[in-house]
Amino acid sequence: MNIAQVASLLCSSGLEPAAIERIEADFAAASDAGFQGNDGAAARQAIGAGQVAIRLGIARKALLTAAAPTYASEARVQEINRTLAQGSMLDAVGILARLVAAGHAGREWTVSAPVAPKVGSTSAPSSLPKVDALTNICRHHREHERFYVQDRTAVAADLHREANKLKVVAEAWLGKPPAQLDPEVDYTSPLYAPIGCTDLNELNAIAMVGVLFMEGEQEPIEIKVLKARLTALSVAWRRAGEWLAVKMEAAWDRESAMYQPTLIDVAHQRYNTIVTNWRGSRERLLAARTLEMALRVLESIPFEPQRIRADRRALGLRLQEAAAILSAAAQLVARTASDLADNDFDWTDCIRHLEPQTSISERARTP
């Protein structure tokens, strides 16, 4: 089925967890396939398909929780989880809309055979966390996330700048006339090695982008630094994403303590924060894979002046695609930062509701 048909299916009522898991697996596979590509369009498809799969995973978890025997008579709990599922499904449809806008409207998604849902833990923990512990988590993690909203926004802006640098360089390669090198000059000599490459540099932009190609040098140091930085970021993001994904699985079950009568008024807000971080943990992995994709393309480009000149147009186009992939990564990170900022309101609501309960608990322990 194409994107429009998938979106229609996700908007339909009564979709069962097993059916959701089947579609989730299809989009995860499409994301994996996209990451094998070498251009910006493949990166956007890989990210978009991965984001849909993430949201379907959340919807499936919420529906399984709503259907758990523990909550068979808990109408409010069922309502909260069905609302979480619906919100995630609608969010997935929104991402599909972006894929349509990007030109993937006719993309066909193969639907595999149904598979059994991964049930996991969907019941309340045997020992409910104390209210003061829940309050502590809300207070500390709200502040921690305020840092990461700033950090991710700054990293996204930095990645956009790096992508724009590559775009400027690529346009110079594609648009500049061939250099007229003086045959009497030995460019390998230390005397003349620093001479700038007139056909590979955009002179008026060097002060902004920093990348300088010199006749007697090999790959510019700025390109080497960029590759090293992208490598470090991708490794760090993989580790952070995997760590946070495990934490969110645990939080989903632990925070079912919010379903007790005195706390359920803000249970939805608390689960909103879990959903945001569930998405964010897995989107961090998508971002890491996108950087790895950009690195793969960059590593395929020989940045030595003479080798660039041997196939300047093809390499210029390839550099443009590396820049487009980096832009896609930057856009993804910026969106996760924006989503994370939404948590601040939910954390604050939870703290305001929990603090009076915490005071009661503390007074009860006072001798």
Side-chain angles (χ1 to χ4, degrees), residues 323-338:
I325 296 168
L326 266 189
S327 291
Q331 193 173 14
L332 172 60
V333 175
R335 283 200 176 107
T336 64
S338 179

Side-chain angles (χ1 to χ4, degrees), residues 96 143 145 351-352 367:
L96 291 175
E143 301 308 310
E145 288 183 9
I351 292 167
R352 286 173 179 164

Side-chain angles (χ1 to χ4, degrees), residues 286-301:
L286 291 180
R289 296 186 71 180
T290 308
L291 293 189
E292 290 164 0
M293 187 180 183
L295 272 167
R296 187 173 68 245
V297 176
L298 285 173
E299 292 290 0
S300 74
I301 300 172

Side-chain angles (χ1 to χ4, degrees), residues 2 15 120 141 157 163 175 177 194 227 230 260 267-268 275 282 301 352 361:
N2 60 34
L15 206 56
H141 286 274
K227 290 179 183 178
L230 295 180
Q260 58 186 285
H268 196 168
V275 165
R282 289 150 177 85
I301 300 172
R352 286 173 179 164
S361 176

Side-chain angles (χ1 to χ4, degrees), residues 86-108:
Q86 184 182 46
S88 292
M89 301 280 266
L90 291 174
D91 199 14
V93 172
I95 294 164
L96 291 175
R98 289 206 301 269
L99 288 174
V100 170
H104 297 296
R107 172 75 166 84
E108 294 289 328

